[in-house]
Amino acid sequence: MEKKRTNPIILIVLSLFSLACLIPFWLVFMISVADEDWVTANGYSFWPGKFSLVAYQYLFEDAGKILRAYGVSASVTLIGVVVSLFVTSAMAYALSRKEFPLRGALSFYILITMLFSGGLLPWYLVYTRFLHVQDTLMALIIPGLIGGFNVIIMRTFFTNSIPPSLIDSSQIDGAGEFRTYFSIILPLSLPVMATIGLFTTVSYWNDWFTSLVFIQNEKLFSLQYLLTKTLMNASFLQTIANKAYSSTAQVTTPLESIRMAMAMIAIGPLVLVFPFLQKYFVKGLTVGAVKG
Amino acid sequence: MASESNSKWKRIWKYRALVVLALPGVLLMLINNYLPMFGIFLAFKDLNYTAGIWGSKWIGLDNFKFLFASNDAWLIIRNTLLYNLSFLIINTILAVMLALLLNEVKNKFASKFFQSTVILPNFISMVIVGYIVYGFLNPELGFINRFILEPFGIDPRNWYAEAEHWPYILTLVNTWKGVGYSAVVYLAAIVGIDSEYYEAAVIDGATRWKQMTKITIPLIAPIIIIMTLLAIGRIFNADFGLFYQATMASGMIKETTDVIDTYVYRALMVTGDTGLASSAGMLQSVVGFTLVITVNLAVRKFSKENALF
């Protein structure tokens, strides 16, 4: 019997790998809790000589913009994920039925979307000149609702793990397709729904590109887009700090730490829930790795 | 003929409930994917917003002539291809290595911990990546300038203005963000290998190294091929987020950081040059499509079950 011990060299290499993945977050965190004067004098560091929570205080005193952006991101994500799961699974269910005469045509229809795209300009024109959804939450929700790859992953799951006899017997008992879909397919497909749901959640939550392209109205800025603005535009950062600044009698606004504190506030929820979601992600990757 | 098509409609009618279930998805794909595809002919038009898409003048290949007359076309094509190629090679090699290492970890807790940490960067947004890069490279306060270059007496660099460093920076950032994901996909494939292969190999006296090179790698080769195929098909599509956020959209380093996607975005949203945006976009779509088809055909030639379609 081989010993159940891992080679220490492998452990060391992997530890270094893990460290390399974690340490950049640590830098951002340390800047966010560093004293502004110390940072201006010494630069961003992994262990600032002087700590201060003023940045977070500023953000909480004038939380309006950030809270609003959180709200936009949260509602877009929630609506997007729920609708997307419904649309994707309904289409996948139709595709999974061997008797469905349009099965081949629909598969081809999906395949084409995975191979060819019109590009940014025509896509932009469809949304702005045809659907007229620019500067609405719809512009942030619609683009992520369906993806060919997700449909195929779900279809594969339905065909492989739901016995056709189950569907047959329910239909002999008089259940229609809708009934079968809602009361047999959906309850049995929790694993794949969780996986695809999590992937969709992450992509909605992390999306900033659709805001960059379609959103002008400050009230509809998503969290990630607000962060983009804050990173690239120093005067925008100033406006976030301004209101709180006028109410306190401090000399310097901790712009550098505010910037990084905002990033931390955006990372926060993800890192907190990540350990719980990790097993689903890994499972999902396994599903995704299997050819559809 | 007539009765044949008649019965086909009858069968579809019989399954109309399934048609209804598939309909929302079909419509969304129509909006998201198919309508834009028809817009591709805009590359041959002089798009005029007031005249509308249909009213705009046909101008033949003028948009393309204009695009290729500038040096931009070659620059963005070169950058896009070289970046994607190096990303693909480095990422695949490192990810397979990482997966093999992860597979050697016997302790369940340690294995879970390593998997979680290496995959974490994959789940944060490119915006946050932009913040992290900024933390390291900010010209006045950045960690690299202040704590690495300064102590060695090297002059601080203005990273966001010096183009020559970016091929390395972007490659590093891309690897950091993406390698964990690919590694876990490969790991999942490795875990799925039947343990009998290894037991038989151990009886024959195979070393761990032999098992790795003779069993593990050949058996996960199909997945590696599929992942590579997918990547090659997208070799003309750059990761817009990486090239936009990590560089903070700095115009001074365009020479090494401008790719087709950032170019199209700028032409459309910043300079409003729809002609350039549409011709570069069409180039990207058509070449991308041709690449997927060609690569897939090539793979089908020698291993049919590994092809995508």
Side-chain angles (χ1 to χ4, degrees), chain B residues 116-304:
Chain B
S116 305
T117 49
V118 297
I119 209 175
L120 182 63
N122 184 63
F123 290 106
I124 58 155
S125 74
M126 268 302 173
V127 184
I128 301 292
V129 174
Y131 274 81
I132 290 173
V133 174
Y134 184 75
F136 282 97
L137 299 185
N138 177 339
E140 289 98 45
L141 305 169
F143 180 80
I144 304 275
N145 275 352
R146 278 301 179 86
F147 290 90
I148 304 221
L149 298 187
E150 214 172 81
F152 285 98
I154 305 169
D155 283 339
R157 300 205 163 273
N158 189 1
W159 299 97
Y160 292 95
E162 295 172 24
E164 68 267 29
H165 313 298
W166 285 88
Y168 308 105
I169 300 171
L170 290 174
T171 309
L172 186 69
V173 174
N174 180 70
T175 308
W176 180 78
K177 193 163 187 333
V179 78
Y181 175 91
S182 318
V184 173
V185 172
Y186 292 135
L187 179 65
I190 295 175
V191 173
I193 295 174
D194 196 335
S195 56
E196 279 179 25
Y197 290 110
Y198 295 103
E199 283 155 20
V202 169
I203 292 170
D204 290 343
T207 59
R208 301 248 12 129
W209 177 254
K210 268 259 153 68
Q211 295 172 32
M212 204 183 270
T213 49
K214 300 283 188 235
I215 302 175
T216 314
I217 293 181
L219 281 176
I220 61 167
I223 301 253
I224 300 179
I225 292 174
I226 288 177
M227 300 268 284
T228 310
L229 242 180
L230 285 169
I232 289 178
R234 298 188 51 80
I235 211 159
F236 238 56
N237 290 75
D239 179 348
F240 179 83
L242 176 67
F243 292 89
Y244 184 83
Q245 298 285 1
T247 63
M248 285 176 74
S250 165
M252 282 177 284
I253 47 175
K254 261 182 5 198
E255 195 194 328
T256 57
T257 61
D258 212 8
V259 285
I260 303 178
D261 294 81
T262 48
Y263 182 83
V264 172
Y265 167 78
R266 234 187 10 258
L268 175 64
M269 304 298 296
V270 184
T271 56
D273 199 327
T274 50
L276 286 180
S278 57
S279 51
M282 175 171 175
L283 191 73
Q284 187 173 35
S285 303
V286 173
V287 176
F289 178 73
T290 323
L291 272 171
V292 183
I293 300 290
T294 325
V295 172
N296 190 60
L297 271 178
V299 172
R300 260 173 86 136
K301 265 245 152 86
F302 62 90
S303 133
K304 205 160 184 187

Side-chain angles (χ1 to χ4, degrees), chain A residues 158-204:
Chain A
F158 293 158
T159 6
N160 291 346
S161 41
I162 295 175
S165 55
L166 203 61
I167 296 175
D168 288 343
S169 66
S170 88
Q171 302 204 329
I172 289 169
D173 289 346
E177 298 289 355
F178 294 106
R179 186 77 195 275
T180 315
Y181 166 70
F182 280 111
S183 52
I184 297 200
I185 303 294
L186 289 188
L188 285 178
S189 34
L190 229 54
V192 78
M193 294 297 248
T195 307
I196 302 279
L198 286 171
F199 280 120
T200 327
T201 307
V202 172
S203 76
Y204 270 113

Side-chain angles (χ1 to χ4, degrees), chain B residues 11 64 66 104 109 120 162 285 290:
Chain B
R11 277 182 53 217
F64 290 93
F66 196 56
E104 294 294 316
F109 175 78
L120 182 63
E162 295 172 24
S285 303
T290 323

Side-chain angles (χ1 to χ4, degrees), chain A residues 123-222:
Chain A
W123 183 73
Y124 174 77
L125 290 177
V126 167
Y127 276 80
T128 54
R129 310 265 143 179
F130 180 74
L131 294 178
H132 296 285
V133 289
Q134 68 271 40
D135 260 335
T136 67
L137 287 185
M138 292 305 274
L140 303 180
I141 295 173
I142 300 175
L145 285 181
I146 202 152
F149 204 61
N150 289 348
V151 179
I152 289 185
I153 289 177
M154 278 209 192
R155 183 207 61 188
T156 312
F157 182 89
F158 293 158
T159 6
N160 291 346
S161 41
I162 295 175
S165 55
L166 203 61
I167 296 175
D168 288 343
S169 66
S170 88
Q171 302 204 329
I172 289 169
D173 289 346
E177 298 289 355
F178 294 106
R179 186 77 195 275
T180 315
Y181 166 70
F182 280 111
S183 52
I184 297 200
I185 303 294
L186 289 188
L188 285 178
S189 34
L190 229 54
V192 78
M193 294 297 248
T195 307
I196 302 279
L198 286 171
F199 280 120
T200 327
T201 307
V202 172
S203 76
Y204 270 113
W205 183 257
N206 282 346
D207 175 57
W208 49 276
F209 182 68
T210 42
S211 307
L212 179 72
V213 175
F214 295 120
I215 303 293
Q216 301 281 322
N217 182 353
E218 266 192 42
K219 292 190 170 145
L220 298 179
F221 283 0
S222 63

Side-chain angles (χ1 to χ4, degrees), chain A residues 11-265:
Chain A
L11 283 182
I12 292 171
V13 174
L14 283 174
S15 303
L16 288 177
F17 237 112
S18 285
L19 199 64
C21 288
L22 291 178
I23 215 165
F25 294 105
W26 180 255
L27 178 66
V28 172
F29 175 60
M30 278 296 139
I31 301 169
S32 78
V33 295
D35 177 78
E36 184 77 3
D37 292 331
W38 193 90
V39 166
T40 343
N42 299 289
Y44 300 155
S45 139
F46 282 99
W47 194 257
K50 231 174 119 192
F51 292 93
S52 143
L53 287 175
V54 173
Y56 289 93
Q57 211 178 313
Y58 269 99
L59 288 184
F60 285 116
E61 270 171 39
D62 182 26
K65 262 191 176 134
I66 294 178
L67 271 183
R68 201 178 177 100
Y70 247 100
V72 169
S73 285
S75 17
V76 165
T77 306
L78 190 71
I79 300 171
V81 170
V82 171
V83 178
S84 161
L85 277 179
F86 172 71
V87 172
T88 310
S89 60
M91 195 180 194
Y93 169 61
L95 274 171
S96 74
R97 293 289 306 276
K98 293 219 164 46
E99 311 91 306
F100 186 41
L102 292 178
R103 198 172 179 234
L106 268 185
S107 303
F108 187 71
Y109 184 82
I110 293 172
L111 182 69
I112 294 288
T113 67
M114 291 162 70
L115 295 180
F116 194 74
S117 88
L120 182 61
L121 172 72
W123 183 73
Y124 174 77
L125 290 177
V126 167
Y127 276 80
T128 54
R129 310 265 143 179
F130 180 74
L131 294 178
H132 296 285
V133 289
Q134 68 271 40
D135 260 335
T136 67
L137 287 185
M138 292 305 274
L140 303 180
I141 295 173
I142 300 175
L145 285 181
I146 202 152
F149 204 61
N150 289 348
V151 179
I152 289 185
I153 289 177
M154 278 209 192
R155 183 207 61 188
T156 312
F157 182 89
F158 293 158
T159 6
N160 291 346
S161 41
I162 295 175
S165 55
L166 203 61
I167 296 175
D168 288 343
S169 66
S170 88
Q171 302 204 329
I172 289 169
D173 289 346
E177 298 289 355
F178 294 106
R179 186 77 195 275
T180 315
Y181 166 70
F182 280 111
S183 52
I184 297 200
I185 303 294
L186 289 188
L188 285 178
S189 34
L190 229 54
V192 78
M193 294 297 248
T195 307
I196 302 279
L198 286 171
F199 280 120
T200 327
T201 307
V202 172
S203 76
Y204 270 113
W205 183 257
N206 282 346
D207 175 57
W208 49 276
F209 182 68
T210 42
S211 307
L212 179 72
V213 175
F214 295 120
I215 303 293
Q216 301 281 322
N217 182 353
E218 266 192 42
K219 292 190 170 145
L220 298 179
F221 283 0
S222 63
L223 184 63
Q224 304 290 340
Y225 187 53
L226 187 77
L227 285 176
T228 308
K229 286 251 176 202
T230 316
L231 178 65
M232 309 228 180
N233 186 336
S235 58
F236 189 83
L237 177 60
Q238 190 79 52
T239 64
I240 288 194
N242 261 352
K243 215 166 133 206
Y245 176 61
S246 59
S247 64
T248 28
Q250 228 152 350
V251 196
T252 45
T253 324
L255 288 183
E256 299 298 338
S257 346
I258 286 186
R259 203 201 293 264
M260 296 302 175
M262 286 184 68
M264 283 321 294
I265 289 178

Side-chain angles (χ1 to χ4, degrees), chain B residues 51-76:
Chain B
I53 295 168
W54 302 108
S56 297
K57 241 186 19 225
W58 289 99
I59 50 166
L61 291 173
D62 281 10
N63 283 331
F64 290 93
K65 279 185 197 146
F66 196 56
L67 174 68
F68 282 98
S70 68
N71 285 324
D72 295 347
W74 304 114
L75 186 81
I76 56 176

